[in-house]
Amino acid sequence: MPVKITLSWLELMQAAQIGVARRISSMKHRRNCNVHAYKSDWATDIDGAAAELAVAKHTRSWWPVDTNDFKAPDVAHYHIRSTKTVNGHLIVRNNDPASGEYVLVITNAPEFTIIGSISGEVAKQECWRNTTNSFGVESWWIPQSALQDWSSNETESV
């Protein structure tokens, strides 16, 4: 069962500010835009930051709000992935590290739903490899049914 987390308005504002800071930092350093994303870079960064905060809140973990560490875990040892699509997949890309665990969060601010997780080592199975996506980026699209359920996670929702 998915885990539902509600961010307070103040928490949501904090996440939005971090997302904006990340976007501006990327622009300043001329980093690639999110060519794989179906939404704007601003929305990607803000939704992503809010999803990270939701996982940090659920796990009672420190949320390191770094703006320049793209392949490091986002919260504890978790790499957070978010989507607004209710039936969306957890997407892992070719250059994503095999270490750590990838977590899928459905965003609908201020409500966030932690769907589940999968280890980076297990995520890149041939059966989930997606070479036909419209973004032209090699990736693995892991269905929600393949993710480890977080409802039995020892940490309770806050």
Side-chain angles (χ1 to χ4, degrees), residues 18-51:
I18 295 304
V20 168
R22 288 176 179 173
R23 175 59 16 219
I24 292 171
S25 176
S26 290
M27 291 166 60
K28 176 182 175 187
H29 294 99
R30 299 176 194 256
R31 293 190 191 103
N32 291 338
C33 294
N34 294 317
V35 296
H36 54 271
Y38 59 90
K39 56 188 177 181
S40 79
D41 294 330
W42 294 91
T44 298
D45 287 338
I46 291 170
D47 285 345

Side-chain angles (χ1 to χ4, degrees), residues 2-3 5 47-48 51-56 58-59 73-83 88-93 96-97 99-107 112-120 123 142-144 147-151 153:
V3 175
I5 302 294
D47 285 345
E52 291 172 17
L53 181 53
V55 171
H58 174 65
T59 60
D74 301 305
V75 176
H77 65 282
Y78 301 115
H79 299 275
I80 312 305
R81 299 297 159 91
S82 65
T83 181
H89 294 76
L90 188 151
I91 300 174
V92 176
R93 291 176 190 81
D96 286 332
S99 62
E101 200 166 339
Y102 290 80
V103 179
L104 178 62
V105 179
I106 307 297
T107 66
F112 297 83
T113 306
I114 303 171
I115 301 298
S117 63
I118 192 167
S119 75
I142 297 92
Q144 292 182 18
L147 301 178
Q148 180 182 355
D149 184 11
W150 268 42
S151 64
N153 190 320

